[in-house]
Amino acid sequence: MKSTRWQLLAGLGALTALFAGTTAHAQVTLPSLNLGFKSTNNPQEIVSAVKIVLMLTVLTLAPAILIMMTAFTRIIIVLSFVRQALGTQQMPPNQLLVGLALFLTFFIMQPFFNKINEDGIQPFLNNQISQEEAITKSLAPIRVFMFHQTRALDLQLFIRLSKSAQPKTRADVATTVLIPAFVLSELKTAFQIGFIIYLPFLVIDMVAASVLMAMGMMMLPPVVISLPFKIMLFVLVDGWTLLIGSLVKSFG
């Protein structure tokens, strides 16, 4: 037992001596980082700094842009309505619903993203067009998508609120007017779909409540009885396939 302890102590001593000898001869270098402000008279440096700030701002707002200008708004609202109508609380979880909504958004918006890449991004990267032309051509496919999903009444509402002249063509409609009109139309469409989804599940809840009252089981919550039947109905009719297929087709 004593010999084992002495061997452990000897081993630790040897490792300590080896580490000390290694660190004594080796110089550890750490990277240095300098941050600061300086005055300049070169306009090019100022423009570069402004471009970096604008780029960081766009990257920060990218999630909001994705939500407000694509199919994400309608999809996530409808999926949330389905979960509430089923009464399954946090199942499916929020992360799963958001992930499914994102992938469906990319699937629906893929033709428009390809158009943006072909007309705006690639020519700009190849120095064929200017930055202003790239932004204009990149916005064009997104504007086409939003116009197809925007109601005329919602668009007229925001044109009146902006106090701008009545546009003669779609090209005359400002993007700052089109985006809120598109979001309002998406909210209306999503709530209409949610109302239709709620109806069959509401009927099941009413039947379960009526049966419990007829049996005199007043203390048993109807949700406990109706939940398995709602899940069974949703599975039997292949609800997820019908829902996702109808959502994708609604953007046609």
Side-chain angles (χ1 to χ4, degrees):
M1 191 68 180
K2 291 183 179 180
S3 60
T4 305
R5 291 179 180 177
W6 280 110
Q7 290 175 358
L8 290 175
L9 290 175
L12 290 174
L15 289 175
T16 303
L18 179 61
F19 180 77
T22 304
T23 55
H25 294 286
Q27 295 181 354
V28 179
T29 59
L30 297 176
S32 61
L33 178 63
N34 296 324
L35 296 175
F37 298 93
K38 67 176 182 177
S39 60
T40 179
N41 295 323
N42 187 2
Q44 189 64 33
E45 294 184 4
I46 298 176
V47 171
S48 301
V50 171
K51 287 183 179 180
I52 293 175
V53 172
L54 291 177
M55 185 180 299
L56 293 176
T57 304
V58 170
L59 291 176
T60 304
L61 298 176
I65 296 173
L66 175 64
I67 291 174
M68 295 301 174
M69 300 176 64
T70 61
F72 183 84
T73 302
R74 183 189 305 184
I75 295 172
I76 192 63
I77 291 176
V78 171
L79 292 178
S80 299
F81 269 122
V82 171
R83 185 174 65 181
Q84 292 180 5
L86 284 171
T88 53
Q89 301 299 326
Q90 296 298 320
M91 189 61 62
N94 292 329
Q95 293 86 348
L96 180 59
L97 291 184
V98 173
L100 178 59
L102 282 174
F103 279 108
L104 287 176
T105 300
F106 292 144
F107 177 78
I108 294 170
M109 301 298 297
Q110 183 179 359
F112 301 95
F113 290 156
N114 291 339
K115 189 71 174 175
I116 291 172
N117 184 56
E118 294 173 2
D119 297 344
I121 297 178
Q122 292 302 324
F124 175 70
L125 295 178
N126 295 329
N127 296 322
Q128 297 175 356
I129 59 176
S130 63
Q131 185 175 358
E132 291 76 13
E133 289 181 276
I135 294 175
T136 303
K137 292 186 176 182
S138 297
L139 277 176
I142 298 296
R143 284 171 59 89
V144 170
F145 170 78
M146 289 191 292
F147 271 120
H148 286 169
Q149 308 302 326
T150 304
R151 292 179 173 85
L153 291 177
D154 297 330
L155 189 58
Q156 287 296 327
L157 170 64
F158 283 96
I159 290 176
R160 290 197 305 270
L161 292 177
S162 64
K163 298 180 180 180
S164 58
Q166 186 69 24
K168 297 180 180 179
T169 61
R170 288 184 173 182
D172 298 330
V173 178
T175 305
T176 53
V177 173
L178 177 59
I179 293 176
F182 166 74
V183 174
L184 183 59
S185 296
E186 288 294 282
L187 288 174
K188 289 182 179 180
T189 304
F191 272 74
Q192 289 175 354
I193 298 174
F195 171 76
I196 297 173
I197 290 173
Y198 251 97
L199 288 179
F201 299 113
L202 180 62
V203 171
I204 295 177
D205 287 332
M206 294 175 63
V207 171
S210 301
V211 171
L212 290 176
M213 290 184 64
M215 297 176 62
M217 304 176 65
M218 306 294 295
M219 302 302 295
L220 183 63
V223 178
V224 177
I225 303 301
S226 62
L227 178 59
F229 290 98
K230 289 191 289 187
I231 295 176
M232 182 180 65
L233 173 65
F234 194 71
V235 172
L236 288 177
V237 300
D238 201 5
W240 287 113
T241 301
L242 292 175
L243 176 66
I244 299 304
S246 300
L247 267 177
V248 174
K249 292 176 182 178
S250 67
F251 291 97

